[in-house]
Amino acid sequence: MATSLQSLLLVLSILLLANIATSSYHKALNFTLFQHETINKTGFIVYTGPTGPAVTLTTAPIGTINTFQDPLMATASNSSMVLGTVEGTSVTSGVDGLQGISMAKITLNLKGHKGSISILGVIRNIVPSDIPVVGGTGDFLFVGGYVTTSPVNVVGLTATFKIEFHLYWPPFPV
Ligand SMILES: *[C@@H]1O[C@H](CO)[C@@H](O)[C@H](O)[C@H]1NC(C)=O
Ligand SMILES: *[C@@H]1O[C@H](CO)[C@@H](O)[C@H](O)[C@H]1NC(C)=O
Ligand SMILES: *[C@@H]1O[C@H](CO)[C@@H](O)[C@H](O)[C@H]1NC(C)=O
């Protein structure tokens, strides 16, 4: 009796564990796009902060507000296919002028996935940064995860950033 009850409990817990394991995420998606920003064309300094290093492509005085609507392309070449846009604002939040708090909406038009994701976090200008995904719309409704943004090419009037997306959808039905 005890033995069969124990067996039943064992089977139930294995089933439960298997269910948790297979439903820990609904779906995951990783891909990479490239953000192309051109100063005074797609990205603008709308306010220059009171103190700190001079405005360059990688530094700005603390409090500086940069607003942008940049194309997201398939490669680091500015003639590659446009697959989305990233629009947002960053405010320099480092006294050394090297990092800012960024909020952005990323609109994506990918094969099989259309919609947007929103990101919020601190981007360090000259090294890779992980930014949490705070939500999404369309095919990205309820999405979670993070993006890693890294400078690729920052010269003259243009700055190119690699954006690696690590997205997952929650296990509950949406
Ligand atoms: C996506 O990248 C994460 C690391 O960030 C990795 O753990 C996961 O296995 C990758 N998923 C797919 C579907 O490639
Ligand atoms: C961008 O435009 C502003 C305002 O017209 C100007 O002061 C600034 O020098 C321009 N920046 C570059 C890099 O051309
Ligand atoms: C693309 O990049 C090249 C080389 O950096 C540059 O000469 C050209 O003006 C850029 N084109 C656009 C549309 O920004």
Side-chain angles (χ1 to χ4, degrees), residues 30-75:
N30 292 344
F31 56 93
T32 299
L33 294 174
F34 292 82
Q35 175 182 359
H36 292 263
E37 181 157 311
T38 308
I39 304 305
N40 285 349
K41 189 171 162 222
T42 67
F44 303 86
I45 303 281
V46 293
Y47 174 75
T48 303
T51 185
V55 173
T56 67
L57 280 175
T58 52
T59 61
I62 189 166
T64 299
I65 300 173
N66 175 32
T67 300
F68 51 88
Q69 186 184 38
D70 300 332
L72 281 175
M73 299 189 184
T75 74

Short mmCIF file of all heavy atoms in Angstrom, two decimals, residues 30-75:
data_model
loop_
_atom_site.label_atom_id
_atom_site.label_comp_id
_atom_site.label_asym_id
_atom_site.label_seq_id
_atom_site.Cartn_x
_atom_site.Cartn_y
_atom_site.Cartn_z
N ASN A 30 16.49 34.80 -30.49
CA ASN A 30 17.71 35.61 -30.48
C ASN A 30 17.99 36.10 -31.89
O ASN A 30 17.93 35.31 -32.83
CB ASN A 30 18.93 34.76 -30.05
CG ASN A 30 18.87 34.33 -28.59
OD1 ASN A 30 18.10 34.87 -27.82
ND2 ASN A 30 19.69 33.37 -28.24
N PHE A 31 18.31 37.37 -32.05
CA PHE A 31 18.74 37.87 -33.36
C PHE A 31 19.52 39.16 -33.15
O PHE A 31 19.53 39.73 -32.06
CB PHE A 31 17.54 38.09 -34.30
CG PHE A 31 16.48 39.00 -33.75
CD1 PHE A 31 16.50 40.37 -34.03
CD2 PHE A 31 15.46 38.50 -32.97
CE1 PHE A 31 15.53 41.21 -33.52
CE2 PHE A 31 14.48 39.34 -32.45
CZ PHE A 31 14.51 40.69 -32.72
N THR A 32 20.19 39.62 -34.21
CA THR A 32 21.06 40.80 -34.12
C THR A 32 20.70 41.79 -35.22
O THR A 32 20.47 41.40 -36.36
CB THR A 32 22.53 40.36 -34.28
OG1 THR A 32 22.85 39.46 -33.22
CG2 THR A 32 23.48 41.56 -34.22
N LEU A 33 20.61 43.07 -34.85
CA LEU A 33 20.40 44.13 -35.84
C LEU A 33 21.40 45.25 -35.56
O LEU A 33 22.07 45.24 -34.52
CB LEU A 33 18.96 44.68 -35.75
CG LEU A 33 17.84 43.72 -36.14
CD1 LEU A 33 16.48 44.35 -35.86
CD2 LEU A 33 17.93 43.34 -37.62
N PHE A 34 21.51 46.21 -36.48
CA PHE A 34 22.48 47.30 -36.34
C PHE A 34 21.77 48.64 -36.39
O PHE A 34 21.01 48.92 -37.34
CB PHE A 34 23.54 47.19 -37.43
CG PHE A 34 24.42 45.99 -37.25
CD1 PHE A 34 24.01 44.72 -37.68
CD2 PHE A 34 25.64 46.09 -36.60
CE1 PHE A 34 24.80 43.60 -37.48
CE2 PHE A 34 26.44 44.97 -36.39
CZ PHE A 34 26.02 43.73 -36.83
N GLN A 35 21.99 49.46 -35.38
CA GLN A 35 21.41 50.80 -35.27
C GLN A 35 22.37 51.79 -35.93
O GLN A 35 23.55 51.83 -35.60
CB GLN A 35 21.23 51.14 -33.79
CG GLN A 35 20.74 52.55 -33.52
CD GLN A 35 20.62 52.84 -32.02
OE1 GLN A 35 20.90 51.96 -31.18
NE2 GLN A 35 20.23 54.04 -31.68
N HIS A 36 21.83 52.58 -36.86
CA HIS A 36 22.66 53.57 -37.57
C HIS A 36 22.18 54.96 -37.20
O HIS A 36 21.08 55.37 -37.61
CB HIS A 36 22.55 53.36 -39.09
CG HIS A 36 23.17 52.08 -39.56
ND1 HIS A 36 24.43 52.01 -40.08
CD2 HIS A 36 22.70 50.80 -39.57
CE1 HIS A 36 24.72 50.75 -40.41
NE2 HIS A 36 23.68 49.99 -40.11
N GLU A 37 22.97 55.68 -36.43
CA GLU A 37 22.59 57.03 -36.03
C GLU A 37 23.45 58.06 -36.75
O GLU A 37 24.67 57.93 -36.80
CB GLU A 37 22.75 57.19 -34.51
CG GLU A 37 22.35 58.59 -34.02
CD GLU A 37 21.97 58.59 -32.54
OE1 GLU A 37 21.17 57.72 -32.13
OE2 GLU A 37 22.49 59.44 -31.81
N THR A 38 22.82 59.08 -37.32
CA THR A 38 23.56 60.16 -37.97
C THR A 38 23.23 61.46 -37.24
O THR A 38 22.06 61.83 -37.12
CB THR A 38 23.16 60.28 -39.46
OG1 THR A 38 23.28 59.00 -40.06
CG2 THR A 38 24.06 61.27 -40.19
N ILE A 39 24.30 62.11 -36.72
CA ILE A 39 24.11 63.34 -35.95
C ILE A 39 23.42 64.41 -36.80
O ILE A 39 23.76 64.61 -37.95
CB ILE A 39 25.50 63.89 -35.47
CG1 ILE A 39 26.24 62.82 -34.67
CG2 ILE A 39 25.35 65.18 -34.66
CD1 ILE A 39 25.49 62.25 -33.50
N ASN A 40 22.45 65.06 -36.20
CA ASN A 40 21.67 66.13 -36.83
C ASN A 40 20.83 65.66 -38.01
O ASN A 40 20.33 66.48 -38.78
CB ASN A 40 22.56 67.32 -37.24
CG ASN A 40 22.98 68.14 -36.02
OD1 ASN A 40 22.46 67.95 -34.92
ND2 ASN A 40 23.93 69.06 -36.22
N LYS A 41 20.70 64.35 -38.16
CA LYS A 41 19.82 63.82 -39.20
C LYS A 41 18.82 62.83 -38.59
O LYS A 41 17.62 62.92 -38.81
CB LYS A 41 20.65 63.15 -40.29
CG LYS A 41 19.85 62.76 -41.51
CD LYS A 41 20.74 62.31 -42.65
CE LYS A 41 19.94 61.52 -43.66
NZ LYS A 41 20.67 60.34 -44.14
N THR A 42 19.33 61.89 -37.80
CA THR A 42 18.43 60.97 -37.10
C THR A 42 18.58 61.08 -35.58
O THR A 42 17.75 60.54 -34.85
CB THR A 42 18.66 59.50 -37.52
OG1 THR A 42 19.95 59.09 -37.06
CG2 THR A 42 18.58 59.33 -39.03
N GLY A 43 19.64 61.73 -35.12
CA GLY A 43 19.85 61.89 -33.67
C GLY A 43 20.24 63.32 -33.36
O GLY A 43 21.05 63.92 -34.07
N PHE A 44 19.61 63.89 -32.32
CA PHE A 44 19.78 65.32 -32.02
C PHE A 44 20.04 65.52 -30.54
O PHE A 44 19.36 64.93 -29.70
CB PHE A 44 18.52 66.10 -32.40
CG PHE A 44 18.13 65.95 -33.85
CD1 PHE A 44 17.35 64.87 -34.25
CD2 PHE A 44 18.57 66.86 -34.81
CE1 PHE A 44 17.00 64.71 -35.58
CE2 PHE A 44 18.23 66.70 -36.15
CZ PHE A 44 17.44 65.62 -36.53
N ILE A 45 21.01 66.39 -30.24
CA ILE A 45 21.19 66.86 -28.86
C ILE A 45 20.16 67.98 -28.67
O ILE A 45 20.26 69.03 -29.32
CB ILE A 45 22.61 67.41 -28.63
CG1 ILE A 45 23.68 66.37 -28.96
CG2 ILE A 45 22.75 67.97 -27.22
CD1 ILE A 45 23.93 65.33 -27.91
N VAL A 46 19.17 67.77 -27.81
CA VAL A 46 18.14 68.80 -27.63
C VAL A 46 18.41 69.67 -26.40
O VAL A 46 17.79 70.72 -26.22
CB VAL A 46 16.72 68.20 -27.56
CG1 VAL A 46 16.34 67.59 -28.90
CG2 VAL A 46 16.60 67.18 -26.46
N TYR A 47 19.32 69.20 -25.54
CA TYR A 47 19.71 70.01 -24.37
C TYR A 47 21.12 69.59 -23.99
O TYR A 47 21.42 68.39 -23.98
CB TYR A 47 18.74 69.77 -23.20
CG TYR A 47 19.17 70.46 -21.93
CD1 TYR A 47 19.02 71.84 -21.77
CD2 TYR A 47 19.79 69.75 -20.90
CE1 TYR A 47 19.45 72.48 -20.62
CE2 TYR A 47 20.21 70.38 -19.74
CZ TYR A 47 20.04 71.75 -19.61
OH TYR A 47 20.48 72.39 -18.48
N THR A 48 21.96 70.54 -23.73
CA THR A 48 23.32 70.22 -23.30
C THR A 48 23.44 70.48 -21.80
O THR A 48 23.09 71.57 -21.34
CB THR A 48 24.35 71.07 -24.08
OG1 THR A 48 24.16 70.85 -25.47
CG2 THR A 48 25.77 70.67 -23.71
N GLY A 49 23.88 69.48 -21.07
CA GLY A 49 23.97 69.56 -19.61
C GLY A 49 24.95 70.64 -19.15
O GLY A 49 25.76 71.14 -19.93
N PRO A 50 24.86 70.99 -17.84
CA PRO A 50 25.62 72.13 -17.32
C PRO A 50 27.11 71.91 -17.18
O PRO A 50 27.87 72.86 -17.29
CB PRO A 50 24.98 72.37 -15.95
CG PRO A 50 24.38 71.06 -15.56
CD PRO A 50 23.96 70.40 -16.83
N THR A 51 27.54 70.67 -16.94
CA THR A 51 28.97 70.48 -16.69
C THR A 51 29.42 69.08 -17.07
O THR A 51 28.63 68.14 -17.02
CB THR A 51 29.29 70.76 -15.19
OG1 THR A 51 30.70 70.68 -15.01
CG2 THR A 51 28.65 69.75 -14.26
N GLY A 52 30.68 68.98 -17.48
CA GLY A 52 31.21 67.68 -17.87
C GLY A 52 31.98 67.80 -19.17
O GLY A 52 32.18 68.90 -19.67
N PRO A 53 32.40 66.67 -19.73
CA PRO A 53 33.20 66.70 -20.96
C PRO A 53 32.40 67.24 -22.15
O PRO A 53 31.17 67.19 -22.15
CB PRO A 53 33.57 65.23 -21.18
CG PRO A 53 32.58 64.45 -20.40
CD PRO A 53 32.15 65.30 -19.26
N ALA A 54 33.11 67.74 -23.16
CA ALA A 54 32.46 68.30 -24.35
C ALA A 54 31.59 67.24 -25.04
O ALA A 54 31.83 66.04 -24.90
CB ALA A 54 33.53 68.80 -25.32
N VAL A 55 30.61 67.70 -25.80
CA VAL A 55 29.76 66.79 -26.56
C VAL A 55 30.58 66.20 -27.72
O VAL A 55 31.13 66.93 -28.54
CB VAL A 55 28.52 67.53 -27.13
CG1 VAL A 55 27.75 66.61 -28.06
CG2 VAL A 55 27.62 68.02 -26.01
N THR A 56 30.68 64.87 -27.73
CA THR A 56 31.26 64.15 -28.87
C THR A 56 30.31 62.98 -29.14
O THR A 56 29.26 62.87 -28.47
CB THR A 56 32.66 63.59 -28.55
OG1 THR A 56 32.53 62.57 -27.55
CG2 THR A 56 33.60 64.69 -28.05
N LEU A 57 30.69 62.06 -30.03
CA LEU A 57 29.83 60.90 -30.26
C LEU A 57 29.81 59.97 -29.04
O LEU A 57 28.91 59.15 -28.90
CB LEU A 57 30.28 60.13 -31.50
CG LEU A 57 29.84 60.71 -32.84
CD1 LEU A 57 30.45 59.92 -33.98
CD2 LEU A 57 28.31 60.71 -32.97
N THR A 58 30.81 60.10 -28.15
CA THR A 58 30.88 59.17 -27.01
C THR A 58 30.79 59.84 -25.65
O THR A 58 30.67 59.15 -24.64
CB THR A 58 32.17 58.33 -27.06
OG1 THR A 58 33.27 59.22 -27.19
CG2 THR A 58 32.16 57.36 -28.22
N THR A 59 30.87 61.17 -25.59
CA THR A 59 30.75 61.84 -24.29
C THR A 59 29.79 63.02 -24.38
O THR A 59 29.55 63.54 -25.48
CB THR A 59 32.10 62.40 -23.78
OG1 THR A 59 32.58 63.36 -24.72
CG2 THR A 59 33.13 61.31 -23.56
N ALA A 60 29.25 63.42 -23.23
CA ALA A 60 28.39 64.60 -23.16
C ALA A 60 28.29 65.00 -21.69
O ALA A 60 28.37 64.14 -20.80
CB ALA A 60 27.02 64.31 -23.74
N PRO A 61 28.09 66.30 -21.42
CA PRO A 61 27.92 66.71 -20.02
C PRO A 61 26.71 66.03 -19.38
O PRO A 61 25.71 65.78 -20.05
CB PRO A 61 27.69 68.22 -20.13
CG PRO A 61 28.20 68.61 -21.47
CD PRO A 61 28.03 67.42 -22.36
N ILE A 62 26.83 65.73 -18.08
CA ILE A 62 25.71 65.11 -17.36
C ILE A 62 24.44 65.95 -17.55
O ILE A 62 24.50 67.18 -17.53
CB ILE A 62 26.07 64.90 -15.87
CG1 ILE A 62 25.00 64.05 -15.17
CG2 ILE A 62 26.30 66.23 -15.13
CD1 ILE A 62 25.44 63.53 -13.80
N GLY A 63 23.31 65.29 -17.78
CA GLY A 63 22.05 65.99 -18.00
C GLY A 63 21.74 66.24 -19.47
O GLY A 63 20.63 66.66 -19.80
N THR A 64 22.70 65.94 -20.35
CA THR A 64 22.47 66.16 -21.79
C THR A 64 21.35 65.23 -22.29
O THR A 64 21.35 64.03 -21.97
CB THR A 64 23.77 65.90 -22.58
OG1 THR A 64 24.75 66.82 -22.13
CG2 THR A 64 23.56 66.06 -24.08
N ILE A 65 20.44 65.78 -23.06
CA ILE A 65 19.33 65.00 -23.61
C ILE A 65 19.55 64.78 -25.11
O ILE A 65 19.73 65.75 -25.85
CB ILE A 65 17.98 65.71 -23.39
CG1 ILE A 65 17.73 65.92 -21.89
CG2 ILE A 65 16.83 64.90 -24.01
CD1 ILE A 65 16.50 66.77 -21.60
N ASN A 66 19.56 63.52 -25.50
CA ASN A 66 19.72 63.15 -26.91
C ASN A 66 18.45 62.41 -27.32
O ASN A 66 18.02 61.48 -26.66
CB ASN A 66 20.96 62.23 -27.04
CG ASN A 66 21.15 61.69 -28.44
OD1 ASN A 66 20.82 62.34 -29.42
ND2 ASN A 66 21.69 60.49 -28.54
N THR A 67 17.82 62.86 -28.41
CA THR A 67 16.61 62.20 -28.90
C THR A 67 16.88 61.71 -30.32
O THR A 67 17.52 62.41 -31.11
CB THR A 67 15.42 63.17 -28.85
OG1 THR A 67 15.23 63.57 -27.49
CG2 THR A 67 14.14 62.52 -29.35
N PHE A 68 16.39 60.52 -30.61
CA PHE A 68 16.77 59.90 -31.89
C PHE A 68 15.64 59.05 -32.46
O PHE A 68 14.77 58.58 -31.73
CB PHE A 68 18.03 59.02 -31.69
CG PHE A 68 17.89 58.05 -30.55
CD1 PHE A 68 17.34 56.79 -30.74
CD2 PHE A 68 18.30 58.41 -29.25
CE1 PHE A 68 17.20 55.91 -29.67
CE2 PHE A 68 18.15 57.52 -28.19
CZ PHE A 68 17.61 56.28 -28.40
N GLN A 69 15.67 58.93 -33.78
CA GLN A 69 14.83 57.94 -34.47
C GLN A 69 15.71 57.35 -35.56
O GLN A 69 15.83 57.90 -36.66
CB GLN A 69 13.57 58.57 -35.08
CG GLN A 69 12.65 57.51 -35.67
CD GLN A 69 11.43 58.08 -36.37
OE1 GLN A 69 11.52 59.11 -37.03
NE2 GLN A 69 10.31 57.41 -36.24
N ASP A 70 16.35 56.23 -35.24
CA ASP A 70 17.38 55.66 -36.09
C ASP A 70 16.89 54.40 -36.79
O ASP A 70 16.16 53.60 -36.20
CB ASP A 70 18.60 55.25 -35.23
CG ASP A 70 19.22 56.41 -34.49
OD1 ASP A 70 19.12 57.56 -34.98
OD2 ASP A 70 19.83 56.17 -33.43
N PRO A 71 17.33 54.19 -38.05
CA PRO A 71 17.00 52.91 -38.70
C PRO A 71 17.77 51.75 -38.07
O PRO A 71 18.91 51.91 -37.62
CB PRO A 71 17.44 53.14 -40.15
CG PRO A 71 18.40 54.27 -40.11
CD PRO A 71 18.07 55.11 -38.91
N LEU A 72 17.10 50.60 -38.04
CA LEU A 72 17.75 49.35 -37.61
C LEU A 72 17.94 48.51 -38.87
O LEU A 72 16.98 48.21 -39.57
CB LEU A 72 16.84 48.59 -36.64
CG LEU A 72 16.81 49.07 -35.20
CD1 LEU A 72 15.77 48.26 -34.43
CD2 LEU A 72 18.18 48.92 -34.56
N MET A 73 19.19 48.16 -39.14
CA MET A 73 19.49 47.48 -40.40
C MET A 73 20.05 46.08 -40.16
O MET A 73 20.48 45.75 -39.05
CB MET A 73 20.48 48.31 -41.20
CG MET A 73 19.94 49.68 -41.57
SD MET A 73 21.02 50.51 -42.73
CE MET A 73 20.18 52.10 -42.84
N ALA A 74 20.06 45.31 -41.24
CA ALA A 74 20.48 43.91 -41.14
C ALA A 74 21.97 43.77 -40.85
O ALA A 74 22.39 42.81 -40.21
CB ALA A 74 20.14 43.19 -42.44
N THR A 75 22.79 44.72 -41.33
CA THR A 75 24.24 44.62 -41.11
C THR A 75 24.80 45.98 -40.68
O THR A 75 24.07 46.97 -40.62
CB THR A 75 25.00 44.18 -42.38
OG1 THR A 75 25.04 45.28 -43.30
CG2 THR A 75 24.34 42.99 -43.07
#
